[in-house]
Amino acid sequence: MEIKIIDLPTIAVIGKEGLCTAGRNIVQQLWQEADAHFDEVAALGKKAPDGTYAAFWGAMSDESRSFRPWTHQFTRGLYLAGVETHIDAAAPEGWTKWVLSARKYIVVDVEPDRYIEIFDEVIQDTIPGKGMKLAGAVCDHTEPATGKSRLFFPVEPL
């Protein structure tokens, strides 16, 4: 597994928000809703130099919207399925905007069939092995130009 450590600047995401729990994981439902109404926010999406959207984010936060890790062994928290946008963009009615502060992340590529395995490995081995601790909620990231999916783990030194 290739591991990168990056400093990500402040980003904004406009998307569809919902509460996920161990008994009700609505991530796919949120993405379906965001996709079905994407025309409502398409013009707000930040673009890459090649004209594709910069990124789609599955941003996550604890229920207080403090961007702390999900609770109940990472099975309960808020999920925002959306598009990266400019900081000053306003969310249309029915959409939610989150602004994620600049911070350091461990970034790894992920395949859907290995999502939980990779998530657990980074939490249990990689982060402590680098002398760091998890500093917030993990986020899903998809790069539209390549289709690559990644996990972003916010970290800070121990």
Side-chain angles (χ1 to χ4, degrees):
M1 169 174 51
E2 182 182 348
I3 297 162
K4 295 178 187 170
I5 299 176
I6 67 163
D7 290 309
L8 187 70
T10 299
I11 63 164
V13 178
I14 291 178
K16 295 294 185 173
E17 177 187 281
L19 175 66
C20 293
T21 65
R24 187 165 180 260
N25 185 333
I26 62 168
V27 169
Q28 291 305 317
Q29 177 185 332
L30 292 170
W31 279 114
Q32 289 168 355
E33 187 177 345
D35 289 344
H37 300 278
F38 187 71
D39 60 317
E40 297 170 12
V41 295
L44 302 174
K46 195 173 190 180
K47 299 282 181 98
D50 67 1
T52 61
Y53 288 100
F56 292 105
W57 288 90
M60 298 185 217
S61 176
D62 64 316
E63 290 178 71
S64 73
R65 290 186 179 76
S66 299
F67 303 106
R68 291 190 300 255
W70 280 16
T71 59
H72 300 82
Q73 298 179 323
F74 302 105
T75 63
R76 183 180 181 91
L78 297 173
Y79 192 93
L80 184 73
V83 64
E84 186 172 335
T85 187
H86 295 281
I87 299 295
D88 60 350
E93 186 175 330
W95 293 81
T96 301
K97 178 182 171 183
W98 287 1
V99 177
L100 293 102
S101 298
R103 59 183 355 163
K104 185 176 294 302
Y105 288 88
I106 287 180
V107 180
V108 298
D109 289 348
V110 66
E111 297 296 328
D113 60 336
R114 294 194 59 229
Y115 186 98
I116 293 172
E117 176 187 345
I118 291 170
F119 184 98
D120 289 346
E121 182 179 337
V122 173
I123 293 289
Q124 296 168 10
D125 301 326
T126 305
I127 293 173
K130 298 235 177 254
M132 298 178 156
K133 66 180 180 179
L134 188 65
V138 180
C139 293
D140 297 324
H141 173 273
T142 301
E143 184 179 272
T146 64
K148 283 191 175 188
S149 294
R150 296 181 179 92
L151 285 169
F152 278 60
F153 296 83
V155 293
E156 60 188 31
L158 287 173

